Amino acid sequence: ACPREVEGLWGPFLCCEVAAARLLPARRREGEGVLERRRVAAMASMRVAGKIIVAVVALAVLASAVVAQNEDTSVFRVDLPVTLRAKYPHSEALFGLPSYGGSISGRVIYGTPHLNHTGCNEIQPDPEWPDEPILMIDRGQCDFVRKVRNAELAGAVAVVIADNQGLCGYGTCADVPCDCSVPPVRDCECRMPFMADDGSGGDVNIPSFLLSRYHTDKFKQCILGTAPEGELCHQPTPVVATMEWSLPRRDGQVIFDFWTTAEELAAADFRREIAYLIEPLGTSIRFTPHFFIYDGAKWGCTREFNGNFACGSQCVSSGRYCSPDPDGGFDTGRSGGDVVAENLRQMCIWKQSNETYPLDFGIRWWKYASLFDTQCAEGDVEWGECSSSQQWAAGLDPGVTNECVEAAGGVDERGPVNELLEAEVRLRDDLVIVTLPTVVINDVIERGSTTANNVLATLCAGFVEGTQPTVCKYCRNVAPEALEQCLKNAEAGSGSGSGSGDGPHGQNTHSGAGPPEDSSLPGWAAALLVLLVLVVIGLAVGGYVVYKKLKSKIDEFDYRALGDDPARAPAALTAADDASHQWGSIAAGDGGGDDDAADEAGGGTADAGDVELRGDADI
């Protein structure tokens, strides 16, 4: 018989597993064979439970923390009608693409107003719907991902899921205590569920919130005009809402935490994509990898039966730190303990990479992680030996890594508390990390599809305006297939391309060849160039005018001096011509005269011209 409070909290499946665990001591007397079968069964249930942790454990224990964080990082606000104007509590989906640092506003359209319309099948847009509506869909009959995907295909820019159960403290559930340790009362939930990804939500590109039945019933009254006579919404009234996502902004450096695990081969491609972001972003981010470690004490793995810990080789350090068996063979192949040991190695490799080579931005850890994924993770390779080889290949010292592992407490079966693993378990609980991979930026968990493009967009939204690195300017909105090349070009500071298409958040995208070349001069440089040209022209015109006046005066003086004596005229004219030629040489600056002053004048002008030419080249 399963205690009522346990069944209400965990459901009948896990309740039976809890009951089985309680019976293990009695079954021990039946012989070692039965004990071994029970141990294997217990580990099988742990592995299965690990796969459904989001659907069961997170729903029962962690939902409140997820919803609480939603209230801090996202907002759902009704702007019209005035009687509904307010901010409303909500739960945010773990799939789709939130617009971090931005908002979406639009008219709310009730997309499932009839019993046979659930959003589980194709949604036919009504011709009277506005462009890009926020579609409200009733909960029930199929998973959230399917409903939101169908809404996106119908043209919605965002989705509101109307809960089909009451929420404690509101409406018909106003008198129901919000105590999640007891079974539900009259279809009243103690908290709103969060909208998990069923594993296929990577293609959903719009955000979605879940709101309580109590509040969405009010929205429906206005949209359908079913409010009591005398109230504002007794006739159809448009409802306009805004969805906002805030992200704490940092000046100059954004915090980027990445949660993964050594056995998560599905995330290997993502890790390789993210690695391309690291060098172009450089010191503008503070990156730290983290690893998903199961708390063995919570799973009963620290208990001993007949001299063995309950979960056997799936845990290390006296059953404290565990991972599900990666290949399902509890007595053969790799074990959960091997996964924990590799996670600890990678924590120490990061420590070595970050502390010994700080100018590399941790790129050696990324190289090692990529090499481990391709050379060690699959097949029958022994992880310890393979890890050492890949560390050398990545420019790291396995000896330093091993010293770090032992200093933290090691990974022996009966070892003590490991300070690095213990800190990781506590941090995971504090942040409510329930899926892998998980990206945390400026202490906010990134919701939605985890892709390199989305991560870059969120990272760029985390900078104070004006402090974003160059890569944000050129590569934030490129198409996914062009991101890698754009990052390489942005890092090199060259490239060309033209914008085209729409980015993941609706912005215009760049074709991806890299930063476009800007051939135009800055405004100040163009103005200076024009001024220099005008000065040169002015000097030339002025010099010519002075030359003409001087020549005229000399000629006039010489002729007056000669008077009527024709015999003196040829010599005087020759002297005047010589003087004229000399002054003209000085004014023109050719330096060709016999006079030293003329040479100096000509040479000085040539030097000035050289300086001006160098200045033009710099501009």
Side-chain angles (χ1 to χ4, degrees), residues 345-418:
R345 261 194 302 270
Q346 293 203 21
M347 293 167 68
C348 286
I349 289 171
W350 165 252
K351 190 171 183 290
Q352 178 186 165
S353 177
N354 193 42
E355 294 179 356
T356 309
Y357 309 99
L359 298 181
D360 287 351
F361 316 123
I363 199 66
R364 294 171 190 248
W365 178 85
W366 286 101
K367 290 180 179 178
Y368 170 80
S370 179
L371 288 169
F372 182 85
D373 287 337
T374 57
Q375 304 297 323
C376 307
E378 296 184 288
D380 297 329
V381 181
E382 199 279 320
W383 276 3
E385 295 180 2
C386 187
S387 172
S388 295
S389 299
Q390 306 318 315
Q391 288 181 62
W392 287 120
L396 297 160
D397 186 348
V400 175
T401 301
N402 294 337
E403 290 176 4
C404 169
V405 168
E406 294 304 319
V411 288
D412 294 338
E413 181 182 354
R414 292 187 170 275
V417 171
N418 185 295

Coordinates of all heavy atoms in Angstrom, one line a residue, residues 345-418:
R345 N 36.8 15.2 -14.4 CA 38.0 15.5 -15.1 C 37.9 16.8 -15.9 O 38.7 17.6 -16.0 CB 38.3 14.3 -16.1 CG 39.4 13.4 -15.5 CD 39.9 12.5 -16.6 NE 38.9 11.7 -17.2 CZ 38.5 10.5 -16.8 NH1 39.1 9.9 -15.8 NH2 37.6 9.8 -17.4
Q346 N 36.7 16.9 -16.6 CA 36.5 18.1 -17.4 C 36.4 19.4 -16.6 O 36.8 20.5 -17.0 CB 35.2 17.9 -18.3 CG 35.4 16.8 -19.3 CD 34.5 17.0 -20.5 OE1 34.0 18.1 -20.8 NE2 34.2 15.9 -21.2
M347 N 35.9 19.3 -15.3 CA 35.9 20.4 -14.4 C 37.3 20.8 -14.1 O 37.7 22.0 -14.1 CB 35.2 20.1 -13.2 CG 33.7 19.9 -13.3 SD 32.8 19.1 -11.9 CE 33.0 20.5 -10.7
C348 N 38.2 19.9 -13.9 CA 39.6 20.2 -13.6 C 40.4 20.6 -14.9 O 41.3 21.4 -14.8 CB 40.3 18.9 -13.0 SG 39.8 18.6 -11.3
I349 N 40.0 20.1 -16.0 CA 40.6 20.5 -17.3 C 40.2 22.0 -17.5 O 41.1 22.8 -18.0 CB 40.1 19.7 -18.5 CG1 40.8 18.3 -18.4 CG2 40.4 20.3 -19.8 CD1 40.2 17.2 -19.3
W350 N 39.0 22.4 -17.2 CA 38.6 23.8 -17.4 C 39.4 24.6 -16.4 O 39.9 25.7 -16.8 CB 37.1 24.0 -17.1 CG 36.8 25.4 -16.9 CD1 36.4 26.0 -15.7 CD2 36.8 26.4 -17.9 NE1 36.2 27.4 -15.9 CE2 36.4 27.6 -17.2 CE3 37.0 26.4 -19.2 CZ2 36.4 28.8 -17.9 CZ3 37.0 27.6 -19.9 CH2 36.6 28.8 -19.3
K351 N 39.6 24.2 -15.2 CA 40.4 24.9 -14.2 C 41.8 25.1 -14.7 O 42.4 26.2 -14.6 CB 40.4 24.1 -12.9 CG 41.0 24.9 -11.7 CD 40.7 24.1 -10.4 CE 41.2 24.9 -9.2 NZ 42.6 24.9 -9.1
Q352 N 42.4 24.1 -15.3 CA 43.8 24.2 -15.8 C 43.8 25.1 -17.0 O 44.7 26.0 -17.1 CB 44.3 22.8 -16.2 CG 45.7 22.8 -16.8 CD 46.1 21.5 -17.4 OE1 47.1 21.4 -18.1 NE2 45.4 20.4 -17.0
S353 N 42.9 25.0 -17.9 CA 42.9 25.8 -19.1 C 42.7 27.3 -18.7 O 43.3 28.2 -19.3 CB 41.7 25.4 -20.0 OG 41.6 26.2 -21.2
N354 N 41.8 27.6 -17.8 CA 41.4 28.9 -17.4 C 42.5 29.6 -16.6 O 42.8 30.8 -16.8 CB 40.1 28.9 -16.7 CG 39.5 30.3 -16.5 OD1 39.5 31.1 -17.5 ND2 39.1 30.7 -15.4
E355 N 43.2 28.8 -15.7 CA 44.2 29.4 -14.9 C 45.6 29.5 -15.5 O 46.3 30.4 -15.3 CB 44.2 28.7 -13.5 CG 42.9 28.8 -12.7 CD 42.9 28.0 -11.4 OE1 43.9 27.3 -11.2 OE2 41.9 28.1 -10.7
T356 N 45.9 28.4 -16.2 CA 47.3 28.3 -16.8 C 47.4 29.1 -18.1 O 48.5 29.7 -18.4 CB 47.7 26.9 -17.0 OG1 47.4 26.1 -15.8 CG2 49.1 26.7 -17.4
Y357 N 46.3 29.2 -18.8 CA 46.3 29.9 -20.1 C 45.2 30.9 -20.2 O 44.3 30.7 -21.0 CB 46.2 28.8 -21.3 CG 47.2 27.7 -21.2 CD1 46.8 26.5 -20.6 CD2 48.5 27.8 -21.6 CE1 47.7 25.4 -20.6 CE2 49.4 26.8 -21.5 CZ 49.0 25.6 -21.0 OH 49.9 24.5 -20.9
P358 N 45.3 31.9 -19.4 CA 44.1 32.9 -19.3 C 43.9 33.6 -20.6 O 42.8 34.1 -20.8 CB 44.5 33.8 -18.1 CG 46.0 33.7 -18.1 CD 46.3 32.3 -18.4
L359 N 44.9 33.8 -21.4 CA 44.7 34.6 -22.6 C 44.1 33.8 -23.7 O 43.8 34.3 -24.8 CB 46.1 35.1 -23.1 CG 46.8 36.1 -22.1 CD1 48.1 36.5 -22.7 CD2 45.9 37.3 -21.8
D360 N 43.9 32.5 -23.5 CA 43.3 31.6 -24.5 C 41.8 31.6 -24.4 O 41.1 30.9 -25.2 CB 43.8 30.2 -24.4 CG 45.2 30.0 -24.9 OD1 45.7 31.0 -25.5 OD2 45.8 29.0 -24.7
F361 N 41.2 32.3 -23.4 CA 39.7 32.3 -23.2 C 39.1 30.9 -23.0 O 38.0 30.7 -23.3 CB 39.0 33.0 -24.4 CG 39.7 34.2 -24.9 CD1 40.1 34.3 -26.2 CD2 39.9 35.3 -24.0 CE1 40.7 35.5 -26.6 CE2 40.5 36.4 -24.4 CZ 40.9 36.5 -25.8
G362 N 39.9 30.0 -22.5 CA 39.4 28.6 -22.2 C 39.3 27.8 -23.4 O 38.7 26.7 -23.4
I363 N 39.9 28.2 -24.6 CA 39.7 27.5 -25.8 C 40.3 26.1 -25.8 O 39.8 25.2 -26.5 CB 40.3 28.3 -27.0 CG1 39.7 27.8 -28.3 CG2 41.8 28.2 -27.0 CD1 38.2 28.1 -28.5
R364 N 41.3 25.9 -24.9 CA 41.8 24.5 -24.8 C 40.8 23.5 -24.2 O 40.8 22.3 -24.6 CB 43.1 24.5 -23.9 CG 44.2 25.3 -24.6 CD 45.4 25.5 -23.7 NE 46.4 26.4 -24.3 CZ 47.6 26.1 -24.7 NH1 48.0 24.9 -24.6 NH2 48.4 27.0 -25.2
W365 N 40.0 24.0 -23.3 CA 38.9 23.1 -22.8 C 37.9 22.7 -23.9 O 37.5 21.6 -24.1 CB 38.1 23.8 -21.7 CG 37.0 22.9 -21.2 CD1 37.1 21.9 -20.2 CD2 35.6 22.9 -21.6 NE1 35.8 21.3 -20.1 CE2 34.9 21.9 -20.9 CE3 34.9 23.7 -22.5 CZ2 33.6 21.7 -21.1 CZ3 33.6 23.4 -22.7 CH2 32.9 22.4 -22.0
W366 N 37.6 23.7 -24.8 CA 36.7 23.5 -25.9 C 37.3 22.4 -26.8 O 36.6 21.6 -27.4 CB 36.4 24.8 -26.6 CG 35.4 25.6 -25.9 CD1 35.7 26.7 -25.1 CD2 34.0 25.5 -25.8 NE1 34.6 27.3 -24.6 CE2 33.5 26.5 -24.9 CE3 33.1 24.6 -26.3 CZ2 32.2 26.7 -24.7 CZ3 31.8 24.7 -26.0 CH2 31.3 25.8 -25.2
K367 N 38.6 22.6 -27.1 CA 39.3 21.6 -28.0 C 39.2 20.2 -27.4 O 39.0 19.3 -28.1 CB 40.7 22.1 -28.2 CG 40.9 23.3 -29.1 CD 42.3 23.7 -29.3 CE 42.5 24.9 -30.1 NZ 43.9 25.4 -30.3
Y368 N 39.5 20.2 -26.1 CA 39.5 18.8 -25.4 C 38.1 18.3 -25.5 O 37.9 17.1 -25.8 CB 39.9 18.9 -24.0 CG 39.6 17.6 -23.2 CD1 40.5 16.6 -23.3 CD2 38.5 17.5 -22.5 CE1 40.2 15.4 -22.7 CE2 38.2 16.3 -21.8 CZ 39.1 15.2 -21.9 OH 38.8 14.1 -21.3
A369 N 37.0 19.0 -25.2 CA 35.7 18.5 -25.2 C 35.3 18.0 -26.6 O 34.6 17.0 -26.7 CB 34.7 19.6 -24.8
S370 N 35.7 18.7 -27.6 CA 35.4 18.3 -29.0 C 36.2 17.0 -29.3 O 35.6 16.1 -29.9 CB 35.8 19.4 -30.0 OG 35.6 19.0 -31.3
L371 N 37.4 16.9 -28.9 CA 38.2 15.7 -29.2 C 37.6 14.5 -28.4 O 37.6 13.4 -28.9 CB 39.7 15.9 -28.7 CG 40.5 16.8 -29.7 CD1 41.8 17.2 -29.0 CD2 40.7 16.1 -31.0
F372 N 37.2 14.7 -27.1 CA 36.6 13.7 -26.4 C 35.3 13.1 -27.0 O 35.1 11.9 -27.1 CB 36.3 14.1 -24.9 CG 35.8 13.1 -24.0 CD1 36.6 12.2 -23.4 CD2 34.4 12.9 -23.9 CE1 36.1 11.2 -22.5 CE2 33.9 11.9 -23.1 CZ 34.7 11.0 -22.4
D373 N 34.5 14.1 -27.5 CA 33.2 13.7 -28.2 C 33.5 12.8 -29.4 O 32.8 11.8 -29.6 CB 32.4 14.9 -28.6 CG 31.8 15.6 -27.4 OD1 31.6 15.0 -26.4 OD2 31.5 16.8 -27.6
T374 N 34.5 13.1 -30.1 CA 34.8 12.4 -31.4 C 35.7 11.1 -31.2 O 35.5 10.2 -31.9 CB 35.4 13.3 -32.4 OG1 36.6 13.8 -31.9 CG2 34.5 14.4 -32.8
Q375 N 36.6 11.1 -30.2 CA 37.5 10.1 -30.1 C 37.2 9.1 -29.0 O 37.7 7.9 -29.0 CB 38.9 10.6 -29.9 CG 39.4 11.6 -31.0 CD 39.5 10.9 -32.3 OE1 39.9 9.8 -32.4 NE2 39.1 11.7 -33.3
C376 N 36.5 9.5 -27.9 CA 36.4 8.7 -26.7 C 34.9 8.3 -26.4 O 34.7 7.2 -25.8 CB 36.9 9.5 -25.5 SG 38.6 10.1 -25.7
A377 N 34.0 9.2 -26.7 CA 32.6 9.0 -26.1 C 32.0 7.7 -26.6 O 31.3 7.0 -25.8 CB 31.8 10.2 -26.4
E378 N 32.2 7.4 -27.8 CA 31.5 6.2 -28.3 C 32.5 5.0 -28.5 O 33.7 5.3 -28.5 CB 30.8 6.5 -29.7 CG 29.7 7.5 -29.6 CD 29.0 7.8 -30.9 OE1 29.6 8.4 -31.8 OE2 27.9 7.3 -31.0
G379 N 32.0 3.8 -28.7 CA 32.9 2.7 -28.8 C 33.3 2.1 -27.5 O 32.8 2.4 -26.4
D380 N 34.3 1.2 -27.5 CA 34.7 0.5 -26.3 C 36.0 1.1 -25.7 O 36.7 0.4 -25.0 CB 34.9 -1.0 -26.6 CG 33.6 -1.7 -27.1 OD1 32.6 -1.3 -26.6 OD2 33.7 -2.6 -27.9
V381 N 36.3 2.3 -26.1 CA 37.5 2.9 -25.6 C 37.4 3.2 -24.1 O 36.4 3.6 -23.6 CB 37.8 4.3 -26.3 CG1 39.1 4.9 -25.9 CG2 37.8 4.0 -27.8
E382 N 38.5 2.9 -23.4 CA 38.6 3.2 -22.0 C 38.8 4.7 -21.8 O 39.7 5.3 -22.3 CB 39.7 2.4 -21.3 CG 39.6 2.3 -19.8 CD 40.0 3.5 -19.0 OE1 41.1 4.1 -19.4 OE2 39.4 3.9 -18.1
W383 N 37.8 5.3 -21.0 CA 37.8 6.8 -21.0 C 39.0 7.4 -20.3 O 39.5 8.5 -20.8 CB 36.5 7.2 -20.2 CG 35.3 7.3 -21.1 CD1 35.3 6.9 -22.4 CD2 34.0 7.7 -20.8 NE1 34.0 7.1 -22.9 CE2 33.2 7.6 -21.9 CE3 33.4 8.2 -19.6 CZ2 31.9 7.9 -22.0 CZ3 32.1 8.5 -19.6 CH2 31.3 8.4 -20.8
G384 N 39.6 6.8 -19.3 CA 40.7 7.4 -18.6 C 41.9 7.5 -19.5 O 42.5 8.6 -19.6
E385 N 42.3 6.4 -20.2 CA 43.4 6.5 -21.1 C 43.1 7.4 -22.3 O 44.0 8.2 -22.7 CB 43.7 5.1 -21.6 CG 44.2 4.1 -20.5 CD 44.5 2.7 -21.1 OE1 44.4 2.6 -22.3 OE2 44.9 1.9 -20.3
C386 N 41.9 7.3 -22.9 CA 41.6 8.2 -24.0 C 41.6 9.7 -23.6 O 42.1 10.5 -24.4 CB 40.2 7.8 -24.5 SG 39.8 8.6 -26.1
S387 N 41.2 9.9 -22.4 CA 41.2 11.3 -21.9 C 42.6 11.9 -21.9 O 42.8 13.0 -22.3 CB 40.5 11.4 -20.5 OG 40.7 12.7 -20.0
S388 N 43.5 11.1 -21.4 CA 44.9 11.6 -21.3 C 45.4 11.9 -22.7 O 46.1 12.9 -22.9 CB 45.8 10.5 -20.6 OG 45.4 10.3 -19.3
S389 N 45.2 11.1 -23.7 CA 45.7 11.3 -25.0 C 45.1 12.6 -25.6 O 45.8 13.4 -26.2 CB 45.3 10.1 -25.9 OG 45.9 8.9 -25.5
Q390 N 43.8 12.8 -25.4 CA 43.1 14.0 -25.9 C 43.6 15.3 -25.2 O 43.6 16.4 -25.8 CB 41.6 13.9 -25.9 CG 41.1 12.6 -26.5 CD 41.8 12.3 -27.8 OE1 42.0 13.1 -28.7 NE2 42.1 11.0 -28.0
Q391 N 43.9 15.2 -23.9 CA 44.5 16.3 -23.2 C 45.8 16.8 -23.8 O 46.0 18.0 -24.0 CB 44.6 16.0 -21.7 CG 43.3 15.9 -20.9 CD 43.5 15.6 -19.5 OE1 44.1 16.4 -18.8 NE2 43.0 14.5 -19.0
W392 N 46.7 15.8 -24.1 CA 47.9 16.2 -24.7 C 47.7 16.8 -26.1 O 48.3 17.8 -26.4 CB 48.8 14.9 -24.9 CG 49.4 14.4 -23.6 CD1 49.3 13.1 -23.1 CD2 50.4 15.1 -22.8 NE1 50.0 13.0 -22.0 CE2 50.7 14.2 -21.7 CE3 50.9 16.3 -22.8 CZ2 51.5 14.5 -20.7 CZ3 51.8 16.7 -21.7 CH2 52.1 15.8 -20.7
A393 N 46.7 16.3 -26.8 CA 46.4 16.8 -28.1 C 45.9 18.2 -28.1 O 46.1 19.0 -29.0 CB 45.4 15.9 -28.9
A394 N 45.2 18.6 -27.0 CA 44.6 19.9 -26.8 C 45.6 20.9 -26.1 O 45.2 22.0 -25.8 CB 43.3 19.8 -26.0
G395 N 46.8 20.4 -25.9 CA 47.8 21.3 -25.3 C 47.7 21.4 -23.7 O 48.1 22.4 -23.2
L396 N 47.2 20.3 -23.1 CA 47.0 20.3 -21.7 C 47.8 19.2 -21.0 O 48.2 18.2 -21.7 CB 45.5 20.1 -21.3 CG 44.6 21.2 -21.8 CD1 43.1 20.7 -21.9 CD2 44.7 22.4 -20.9
D397 N 48.0 19.3 -19.7 CA 48.8 18.3 -19.0 C 47.9 17.4 -18.2 O 47.3 17.8 -17.2 CB 49.8 19.0 -18.1 CG 50.8 18.1 -17.4 OD1 50.6 16.9 -17.5 OD2 51.8 18.6 -16.8
P398 N 47.8 16.1 -18.5 CA 47.0 15.2 -17.7 C 47.4 15.1 -16.3 O 46.6 14.8 -15.4 CB 47.2 13.8 -18.5 CG 47.6 14.2 -19.8 CD 48.4 15.4 -19.7
G399 N 48.7 15.3 -16.0 CA 49.2 15.2 -14.6 C 48.6 16.3 -13.8 O 48.2 16.0 -12.6
V400 N 48.5 17.5 -14.3 CA 47.9 18.6 -13.6 C 46.4 18.3 -13.3 O 45.8 18.5 -12.2 CB 48.0 19.9 -14.3 CG1 47.3 21.0 -13.6 CG2 49.5 20.3 -14.5
T401 N 45.7 17.7 -14.3 CA 44.3 17.3 -14.2 C 44.1 16.3 -13.1 O 43.2 16.4 -12.2 CB 43.8 16.8 -15.5 OG1 43.9 17.8 -16.5 CG2 42.3 16.4 -15.4
N402 N 45.0 15.3 -13.0 CA 44.9 14.2 -12.0 C 45.1 14.8 -10.6 O 44.4 14.4 -9.7 CB 45.9 13.1 -12.3 CG 45.5 12.4 -13.6 OD1 44.4 12.4 -14.1 ND2 46.5 11.7 -14.2
E403 N 46.1 15.7 -10.5 CA 46.3 16.3 -9.2 C 45.0 17.1 -8.7 O 44.7 17.0 -7.5 CB 47.5 17.3 -9.3 CG 48.8 16.6 -9.5 CD 50.0 17.6 -9.6 OE1 49.7 18.8 -9.5 OE2 51.1 17.1 -9.9
C404 N 44.4 17.8 -9.6 CA 43.2 18.5 -9.3 C 42.1 17.5 -8.8 O 41.4 17.8 -7.8 CB 42.7 19.3 -10.5 SG 41.1 20.0 -10.3
V405 N 41.9 16.4 -9.5 CA 40.9 15.4 -9.2 C 41.1 14.9 -7.8 O 40.2 14.8 -7.0 CB 40.9 14.3 -10.2 CG1 40.0 13.1 -9.7 CG2 40.4 14.7 -11.6
E406 N 42.3 14.5 -7.5 CA 42.6 13.9 -6.2 C 42.5 15.0 -5.1 O 42.0 14.7 -4.0 CB 44.0 13.4 -6.2 CG 44.2 12.1 -7.1 CD 43.2 11.0 -6.7 OE1 43.0 10.8 -5.5 OE2 42.7 10.4 -7.7
A407 N 42.9 16.2 -5.3 CA 42.8 17.3 -4.3 C 41.4 17.6 -4.0 O 41.1 18.0 -2.8 CB 43.5 18.6 -4.9
A408 N 40.5 17.4 -5.0 CA 39.1 17.7 -4.7 C 38.4 16.6 -3.9 O 37.3 16.8 -3.3 CB 38.3 17.9 -6.0
G409 N 39.0 15.4 -3.8 CA 38.4 14.3 -3.1 C 38.4 13.0 -3.8 O 38.0 11.9 -3.3
G410 N 38.8 13.0 -5.1 CA 38.8 11.8 -5.9 C 37.5 11.2 -6.2 O 36.4 11.8 -5.9
V411 N 37.5 10.1 -6.9 CA 36.2 9.4 -7.3 C 36.2 7.9 -7.0 O 35.7 7.1 -7.7 CB 36.0 9.6 -8.9 CG1 35.6 11.0 -9.2 CG2 37.3 9.2 -9.6
D412 N 36.8 7.6 -5.8 CA 36.8 6.2 -5.4 C 35.4 5.8 -5.0 O 34.6 6.6 -4.5 CB 37.8 6.1 -4.2 CG 39.2 6.3 -4.6 OD1 39.5 6.1 -5.8 OD2 40.1 6.6 -3.7
E413 N 35.2 4.5 -5.0 CA 33.8 4.0 -4.7 C 33.5 4.4 -3.3 O 32.3 4.7 -3.0 CB 33.8 2.5 -4.9 CG 32.4 1.9 -4.6 CD 32.4 0.4 -4.7 OE1 33.4 -0.2 -5.2 OE2 31.4 -0.2 -4.4
R414 N 34.4 4.3 -2.3 CA 34.2 4.6 -0.9 C 34.9 5.9 -0.5 O 35.2 6.1 0.6 CB 34.6 3.5 0.0 CG 33.7 2.2 -0.2 CD 34.0 1.2 0.8 NE 33.0 0.1 0.8 CZ 31.9 0.2 1.4 NH1 31.6 1.2 2.2 NH2 31.0 -0.8 1.3
G415 N 35.1 6.8 -1.5 CA 35.8 8.1 -1.2 C 35.0 9.0 -0.4 O 33.8 8.9 -0.1
P416 N 35.6 10.1 0.1 CA 35.0 11.1 0.9 C 34.2 12.1 0.1 O 34.1 11.9 -1.2 CB 36.1 11.8 1.6 CG 37.2 11.7 0.6 CD 37.1 10.4 -0.1
V417 N 33.7 13.1 0.7 CA 33.0 14.2 0.0 C 34.0 14.9 -1.0 O 35.1 15.1 -0.6 CB 32.4 15.3 1.0 CG1 31.9 16.5 0.2 CG2 31.3 14.7 1.8
N418 N 33.5 15.1 -2.2 CA 34.4 15.7 -3.2 C 33.9 17.2 -3.3 O 32.7 17.4 -3.7 CB 34.2 15.0 -4.6 CG 35.1 15.6 -5.6 OD1 35.0 16.7 -6.1 ND2 36.1 14.8 -6.1

